[in-house]
Amino acid sequence: MMRGRRSAVEQTDWHTRAEQAFALDVTARVDEICHKEHVRALVVVAPPKALADFRSAFPDRLRSIVIRELDKDLTKHPIYDIERHLA
C-alpha cells in the first residue's frame, strides 16, 4: 500500500484554463473589431485576474492602442457608478 506519495504531474485546473481561453477569445474579437473599425484608443476594464489574462493575450497591435487599464469588477454597478470610475 502506497500512502502519502504524490504525483509529479499537477492536476489540470480546468477553471483556470477556461478563463484563459475566454480571455483569448475576447481578445481576438476585440482586436478584430479595433482593426476593422480603425480604433485608435482603448480602455480595458476587468477584474484583476481577468485583466492579467487579457494583458497576456493582447497581440502587439492591440497592446499599442490600450491607453488605460482599470482593475475593477464593475459588472453589477449602475451606469452612473461606472461613469464615475472612468472619469
Side-chain angles (χ1 to χ4, degrees), residues 9-34:
V9 179
E10 285 188 38
Q11 289 286 335
T12 300
D13 185 344
W14 295 108
H15 183 75
T16 298
R17 284 190 127 174
E19 288 174 340
Q20 292 167 342
F22 173 76
L24 285 170
D25 185 44
V26 169
T27 298
R29 291 174 188 227
V30 169
D31 184 44
E32 181 182 321
I33 292 167
C34 288

Side-chain angles (χ1 to χ4, degrees), residues 42 46 54 76 81:
L42 181 67
F54 289 135
K76 296 181 181 183
D81 197 30

Side-chain angles (χ1 to χ4, degrees), residues 26-27 30-31 34-35 39-46 51-52 54-71:
V26 169
T27 298
V30 169
D31 184 44
C34 288
H35 181 68
V39 173
R40 295 163 66 184
L42 181 67
V43 175
V44 181
V45 181
L51 184 59
F54 289 135
R55 197 180 288 132
S56 67
F58 286 162
D60 290 338
R61 179 172 67 187
L62 191 56
R63 195 175 282 127
S64 71
I65 64 169
V66 173
I67 60 169
R68 176 111 194 266
E69 295 176 352
L70 181 61
D71 60 346

Side-chain angles (χ1 to χ4, degrees), residues 72-85:
K72 298 260 185 213
D73 184 353
L74 302 178
T75 306
K76 296 181 181 183
H77 290 250
I79 291 175
Y80 69 86
D81 197 30
I82 293 171
E83 290 172 340
R84 184 179 59 79
H85 283 284

